[in-house]
Amino acid sequence: MTSLFCSLKKNLNKFIRPFSTAQQPLTNTDMSAASCLQSEDQFLCSICLDVFTDPVSIPCGHNFCKNCITQHWDVGDQYWCPMCKEVFTTRGELHVNTLISKMVSQFRHEAEQKRSSSSEQQVVKPGEVPCDICTGTKLKALKSCLVCLVSFCETHLEPHLTASGLKRHQLMDPVKNLEDRMCRKHDKPLELFCKTDHTCVCMLCSVLDHKTHEFVPLKEEYEGKKAELDKTEAEIQQMIQKRRMKIQEIKRSVRISKEGADRETAEGVQVFTALKESVERGLNQLIQEIEDKHKTTEKQAENFIKELEQEISELRKRSSEVEQLSRSEDHLHLLQSFQSLEAAPPTKNWTHVRVHPSSYEGTVVRAVAQLEEMLSYGITKLFQAELNRVQQSEVDVTLDPDTANPELILSDDGKQAHHSDVKTNLPDNPQRFSKSVSVLGKQSFSSGRFYYEVQVKGKTGWTLGVVRESINRKENIPLSPDDGYWTICLRNGKEYKTFAGKDVFLNLKWRPEKVAVFVDYEEGLVSFYDVDAANVMHCFTDCSFTEKLYPYFGPCPNDGGKNSAPLIITRVK
């Protein structure tokens, strides 16, 4: 009986709620009532568990598919009912129950109409798992049974939800290829996980091929792996969140950069527009001055020419009178007329009269000098504005005594440092400079901008700037960016220079008394300013900062008292 049931179940690949009540002969009234039933309970064969096909009644009154009961009796040595277990002495001839057959046909028709009128969203769509039981239009499967290896829609799933024997079956979300969940070797469900081979196995595998291995139920391994996946998912989500935050940070940096670029562009346009207007005004003034000089010369020449032409006119008139009298042959008339001849008009002695061309030499030079003075003033104002802007990033820096060379003397407030010929007995910790007469600030910076000012008045030698945390503090090494130093210095009281593989001398117009250091970590910029002159002394650009940066102070040896003045960290005025 059991082997026959399993064989039928596998061959049909279908599973419906088993028939649970005995079928009794129906009257016309019963048939009318039965036609109104909406459940499949009354039309199921308890052997194949499907709707009757060619239903027949046996002597005890129970009904079965003709083929099912025939096969059932063929494999046994007795004729008995699978439902009530009643034994019959003779097999008897089986005839199709016409009434039940008509009712089954009517039920099938009503069931098809019911399914066809169901919501369209239950009809299986591409990529979804179809119900294995549905004929005709396939509906979407709601669950798959790991025991039956069948996927069921809502209608065909009902027996697994109500029948006590089927409730024990393991249901799961619908999946395709349920055969893949069977052991290919033993044709049994994959129910265990071999932790030795890391593979899923069936019960027979555990006692045959993997008998010495360690096993756990699939559910237990599933829960463990799911916990790992949940942890991995949480880590992935955290990584995603961090990267989203990094995207926002990058976008914020781009926005800040754009705002800075727009601001600098606007300031640049304003400054250079003003300079252009100043140059144009200077040019117009130069042209006007030259034209005025030329007009003065031209006016003087016009006056001289007018006066000369007036004299020429008078002289021509007298010349005409003289010529006319000189042609007279009347002696008496000539003599009498000569006495009445008008005296010659007064004339100027033009011998030394000159029109000197205006001198334009030096006009352009003077105009350019004035323009240079004006531009110098404008540039100074521009540098002053730039200095005022970077001063907004001022930080309060104090000297770190744990880094100070033993020959340095620091003030109690940590704002001053100068060299002493006396070496103090201090512990040689890793942070301390051993040979270089130097000291670092306590504060470190690994992002953003910072600015501080140092008074260098009265000193003949000093070094200022920033250094990275990992610099060599025990040896005298070149103060170059390659070694982690971005500094400028004064040597011999007159040589201002920096180090970039080789000495680079700075051409300064004034001797600075207060030097400012400004750093933009993200931009890779280190700038040095003469605070009083509001002038840029030097800039390191395109620097690559990957470590903490510390303010660096080198007072240099006191040089027999010539360089005894201290370096003093001051606040912005």
Side-chain angles (χ1 to χ4, degrees), residues 75-236:
V75 297
D77 54 0
Q78 287 183 321
Y79 309 121
W80 53 281
C81 175
M83 291 291 293
C84 64
K85 306 298 189 293
E86 181 178 348
V87 179
F88 311 115
T89 56
T90 60
R91 177 166 180 164
E93 187 175 357
L94 299 175
H95 298 281
V96 175
N97 189 322
T98 306
L99 178 61
I100 296 179
S101 180
K102 289 182 179 180
M103 292 177 62
V104 169
S105 176
Q106 183 178 355
F107 171 78
R108 289 183 185 275
H109 178 69
E110 291 177 353
E112 287 294 333
Q113 287 183 334
K114 180 180 178 181
R115 282 198 292 268
S116 63
S117 62
S118 62
S119 175
E120 290 186 1
Q121 66 180 1
Q122 293 183 353
V123 176
V124 68
K125 299 177 182 178
E128 294 179 339
V129 179
C131 175
D132 295 322
I133 307 301
C134 290
T135 59
T137 302
K138 291 284 187 179
L139 299 184
K140 175 183 176 181
L142 295 184
K143 293 291 180 180
S144 294
C145 178
L146 294 181
V147 178
C148 304
L149 298 181
V150 176
S151 297
F152 300 103
C153 65
E154 181 179 4
T155 300
H156 294 120
L157 179 63
E158 186 176 353
H160 279 73
L161 302 178
T162 58
S164 58
L166 298 178
K167 285 182 179 180
R168 292 191 296 269
H169 288 194
Q170 184 177 353
L171 298 177
M172 63 177 296
D173 291 336
V175 294
K176 296 180 180 180
N177 304 323
L178 284 168
E179 294 79 4
D180 294 341
R181 297 177 178 271
M182 299 291 289
C183 177
R184 298 184 182 276
K185 186 174 183 179
H186 304 111
D187 199 24
K188 298 292 183 182
L190 299 173
E191 300 178 273
L192 299 174
F193 182 80
C194 177
K195 297 181 73 67
T196 305
D197 291 343
H198 300 284
T199 184
C200 298
V201 297
C202 68
M203 286 294 185
L204 286 178
C205 290
S206 66
V207 297
L208 297 176
D209 303 330
H210 301 257
K211 61 182 178 180
T212 61
H213 294 178
E214 180 184 357
F215 299 94
V216 293
L218 282 182
K219 183 177 181 182
E220 180 179 334
E221 184 66 19
Y222 160 82
E223 291 174 349
K225 288 295 187 289
K226 189 173 188 305
E228 291 182 17
L229 291 175
D230 291 343
K231 181 180 178 181
T232 301
E233 174 65 13
E235 292 174 352
I236 292 174

